[in-house]
Amino acid sequence: MSGHPYCRRFSNEEIMRIKEMCMAGIPPRQILSSLRQSNPHLRAISRNIYNKKAKILEESLAGRTVIQALVDELGEGGFSYNIEYDQEGYLTHLFFAHPISIELSKSYPHVFLMDCTYKTNKYKMPLLDIIGVSSFNTSFYSCFVFMQKEEEKDYVWALEMFNKILGVHNQPLVIISDRELALMNAIRIVFPSACNLLCVWHIEKNILANCKPHFREEVDWVAFLSTWADLIKSPNESSFDKAWDCFENEYKENAAVLNYIKGTWLPLKEKFVSAWTDEVAHLGNRATSRAEGAHATLKKYLQVSTGGLREVKEKICLAIEHQFQEIKTQLSSEKVRVPHGLRIPFFKEVVTHVSMFALDELYKQHEAAKYGNLSSQCTGHFFKTMGIPCGHMIKDMKIQVLPLNAIHNQWRIDARLFNNDQHASLDDENDQINSLLLDFKEKYEKLPILQKDDTKRQLSQFVGTSFPLILEPKIQPHKGRPLGSKKRNESSSTRREPSKFEIVEKSRKCSVCKGVGHNKSTCPFQVAS
């Protein structure tokens, strides 16, 4: 009898559990294992779980297209969203921000990181992920944008949507990105007052990929990296000019390396060299590692790269809600926590009002000032970049109690509640709508009869306007080897493709010069000799 489908049916209670576990992103095989723990006599197999999951999805669509259902869910869930589609009706862009993310973004508008991630959806659309920084120096998802391409106009559209949810009073001070020229131009257009810094980690890896092949000996390459590190850590402009002259003179024989540095990175020195970046409040963020970590966390929720936009949106919501609960719990905990080492008069005004991360940094500076472990001269960089008094400032203050206003607002926890959860970001907008409706009603009552009829007709047309039929996005072509190639197999993995610097590090090296991209017979040093 176990071969008959009737014996493998689920009870109503089991169907409810399957729905709940599907919403939580649990894979079908794990769902089946969980059901069998509750019911050892269950005869269902994995195919029954997949079929039930497909039926649940079909029922949730209720006759709507996938895009219509997605738009309805975004509207009903209080999301801020916008869409773009081409002349044929295919979706090309989707921007959405969770109400929780909007609340966090408006509470922490100072620093954002922007980076695209890939292998998140079956349409192969890049996903622009914008990451914020909380009082606890942790990350949070601010908004997401699916884009057809990564051109300047696509980024401008995405950032304009992001700018609208922030509002004019919550403009970012610093935005950190990779050397993505289209994104950098869009940041300059949409956020002209923000300082766009470049990720120093990606710069180092780009230099590794483009410069290392030009060094024959490993010791020369290590020396080059050390010289480059000293150059970008120059504390002021004059020291940078001197370091650059030395750098240029030392590597004048290696024209390829020097031309690459001059052409690619020197024009952008204000965006990554300490002499300039230490003058802005980047709050300790000079790399996009937060964004990379956020991508990795998101892909743990996605599990596969073959999901539709609706499924991806649901998994993103799970990640955001989990993240928000962590922040709320940490906020409540730190408001009542008083570490033993901070129970001295100096910290009286800031303890339980400032996050533990900021207090730890402040404590280190206080100890350095107390025991004289300070550099001979104060550059002011720590206070400018972190918004926390440095040891020199604490020593010069000569005060018993540090005032609360000496700490940057980013690190304050006393004024943040996050009690309204998902509906907090809608309050202002609802107030504006209600105000407009009251004004409209008052004005309508004073209109002549004919104008009242015209107004009602226009209002009826607006209310009765149906949402245009929008089709699912076209599948974007792969980068690299064509899909028909025998050497390339389609995969549902979310793991990214190796970067150029990883290929350089792992590639087989020439036995003569130890470079990559050629062998002994075609080595330029061998030919020259």
Side-chain angles (χ1 to χ4, degrees):
M1 287 294 292
S2 61
H4 198 281
Y6 182 82
C7 299
R8 299 196 298 272
R9 71 190 190 282
F10 299 105
S11 65
N12 292 334
E13 182 182 349
E14 289 170 339
I15 292 174
M16 290 299 297
R17 289 188 60 194
I18 292 172
K19 286 183 179 180
E20 291 172 355
M21 287 188 278
C22 285
M23 290 179 64
I26 300 175
R29 290 188 180 277
Q30 294 183 18
I31 293 175
L32 184 60
S33 298
S34 177
L35 293 177
R36 281 180 174 158
Q37 287 179 355
S38 302
N39 181 10
H41 303 291
L42 184 69
R43 295 181 177 180
I45 58 176
S46 297
R47 174 47 53 190
N48 298 120
I49 300 291
Y50 281 103
N51 291 343
K52 180 57 66 176
K53 190 176 178 179
K55 187 175 181 180
I56 292 171
L57 176 61
E58 183 181 356
E59 290 174 351
S60 68
L61 290 175
R64 301 169 295 178
T65 65
V66 173
I67 302 301
Q68 285 176 327
L70 172 61
V71 170
D72 289 344
E73 290 172 0
L74 291 173
E76 293 168 0
F79 286 74
S80 290
Y81 73 97
N82 199 13
I83 57 173
E84 287 279 311
Y85 49 92
D86 59 21
Q87 295 179 346
E88 298 176 353
Y90 290 97
L91 184 75
T92 58
H93 298 76
L94 171 63
F95 169 94
F96 65 95
H98 197 287
I100 289 174
S101 297
I102 297 172
E103 185 178 6
L104 290 172
S105 299
K106 289 183 176 181
S107 184
Y108 303 110
H110 307 293
V111 176
F112 290 101
L113 299 90
M114 300 182 180
D115 188 33
C116 275
T117 185
Y118 310 91
K119 290 191 172 184
T120 61
N121 59 93
K122 66 181 181 182
Y123 311 105
K124 302 178 178 64
M125 298 176 77
L127 175 61
L128 176 62
D129 189 1
I130 300 181
I131 306 298
V133 183
S134 72
S135 295
F136 318 104
N137 200 37
T138 57
S139 308
F140 63 86
Y141 296 106
S142 185
C143 68
F144 296 88
V145 191
F146 288 100
M147 305 185 298
Q148 188 178 48
K149 297 180 180 179
E150 295 177 81
E151 298 177 356
E152 183 178 317
K153 61 181 180 180
D154 301 290
Y155 283 119
V156 168
W157 182 86
L159 296 190
E160 284 177 345
M161 297 301 105
F162 179 54
N163 193 17
K164 287 183 181 296
I165 69 169
L166 288 178
V168 294
H169 301 297
N170 296 299
Q171 294 295 290
L173 300 176
V174 177
I175 297 175
I176 304 166
S177 68
D178 301 339
R179 186 185 170 274
E180 178 69 41
L181 297 180
L183 176 57
M184 292 168 62
N185 290 336
I187 292 171
R188 177 177 50 80
I189 293 170
V190 181
F191 298 107
S193 61
C195 179
N196 179 203
L197 302 184
L198 297 182
C199 173
V200 292
W201 184 86
H202 279 92
I203 292 174
E204 180 183 335
K205 296 306 177 183
N206 273 278
I207 287 176
L208 167 65
N210 291 280
C211 296
K212 189 174 183 180
H214 299 285
F215 288 88
R216 298 184 64 176
E217 302 294 335
E218 184 69 19
V219 64
D220 295 334
W221 169 245
V222 172
F224 171 81
L225 283 183
S226 177
T227 306
W228 171 256
D230 292 339
L231 178 68
I232 65 174
K233 291 178 182 177
S234 301
N236 51 60
E237 295 184 36
S238 60
S239 62
F240 173 81
D241 292 337
K242 293 178 182 178
W244 171 252
D245 290 339
C246 295
F247 183 89
E248 193 174 18
N249 183 61
E250 186 172 353
Y251 296 102
K252 61 184 178 182
E253 302 294 333
N254 201 333
V257 170
L258 200 58
N259 290 336
Y260 170 73
I261 298 295
K262 280 184 176 180
T264 305
W265 299 112
L266 189 60
L268 302 173
K269 61 182 183 296
E270 292 89 351
K271 298 181 180 295
F272 65 91
V273 177
S274 297
W276 288 273
T277 60
D278 283 351
E279 298 296 319
V280 297
H282 53 65
L283 306 176
N285 296 276
R286 292 189 60 195
T288 56
S289 53
R290 288 183 184 276
E292 302 296 341
H295 297 339
T297 300
L298 178 61
K299 289 185 176 183
K300 289 179 182 178
Y301 282 89
L302 295 180
Q303 297 176 345
V304 296
S305 61
T306 54
L309 298 184
R310 190 165 173 243
E311 290 86 354
V312 174
K313 188 270 298 181
E314 291 173 353
K315 300 292 179 65
I316 286 174
C317 288
L318 293 176
I320 291 173
E321 288 162 7
H322 173 77
Q323 196 177 65
F324 182 65
Q325 191 59 45
E326 293 280 341
I327 291 176
K328 278 187 66 177
T329 302
Q330 191 168 0
L331 180 67
S332 301
S333 173
E334 294 195 3
K335 282 185 176 181
V336 297
R337 182 184 171 194
V338 182
H340 180 75
L342 303 182
R343 295 181 180 181
I344 56 178
F346 182 80
F347 296 96
K348 180 181 178 182
E349 296 294 329
V350 296
V351 73
T352 71
H353 296 278
V354 175
S355 70
M356 285 304 305
F357 170 80
L359 289 175
D360 287 342
E361 294 296 321
L362 182 61
Y363 180 76
K364 293 175 186 176
Q365 298 298 320
H366 178 265
E367 291 296 291
K370 181 179 178 181
Y371 296 106
N373 298 327
L374 300 172
S375 58
S376 58
Q377 186 177 3
C378 178
T379 61
H381 290 164
F382 183 81
F383 179 69
K384 290 176 183 177
T385 58
M386 296 296 293
I388 300 172
C390 67
H392 293 90
M393 293 178 63
I394 293 173
K395 185 177 180 180
D396 294 340
M397 285 178 181
K398 297 179 180 178
I399 56 177
Q400 295 297 321
V401 180
L402 181 70
L404 187 57
N405 59 12
I407 306 295
H408 194 288
N409 188 57
Q410 165 76 14
W411 311 118
R412 297 277 296 274
I413 61 175
D414 52 350
R416 293 182 168 93
L417 297 175
F418 304 133
N419 285 331
N420 294 325
D421 293 354
Q422 298 187 13
H423 303 288
S425 62
L426 301 177
D427 291 345
D428 293 339
E429 188 174 348
N430 289 337
D431 290 342
Q432 293 175 7
I433 294 296
N434 292 332
S435 177
L436 286 173
L437 290 175
L438 291 173
D439 293 342
F440 171 79
K441 185 178 180 181
E442 182 179 349
K443 189 172 183 179
Y444 175 80
E445 292 173 350
K446 299 177 183 178
L447 292 175
I449 295 175
L450 292 179
Q451 288 190 20
K452 283 184 176 180
D453 291 340
D454 290 338
T455 303
K456 284 191 291 185
R457 190 180 303 111
Q458 293 176 12
L459 191 60
S460 298
Q461 290 177 353
F462 172 76
V463 174
T465 301
S466 59
F467 193 80
L469 178 63
I470 300 177
L471 304 175
E472 294 183 63
K474 294 179 180 178
I475 297 179
Q476 300 301 310
H478 265 299
K479 293 181 180 180
R481 190 181 295 276
L483 293 177
S485 171
K486 295 179 180 179
K487 294 185 179 181
R488 178 165 188 164
N489 297 320
E490 282 295 297
S491 171
S492 63
S493 172
T494 59
R495 186 174 183 178
R496 64 175 177 81
E497 300 294 339
S499 300
K500 184 178 178 180
F501 76 87
E502 293 172 310
I503 296 175
V504 168
E505 288 181 327
K506 294 182 180 180
S507 296
R508 191 172 293 177
K509 298 179 181 180
C510 170
S511 60
V512 177
C513 68
K514 309 302 179 184
V516 297
H518 61 269
N519 54 28
K520 179 180 178 180
S521 61
T522 58
C523 177
F525 295 100
Q526 182 84 346
V527 172
S529 60

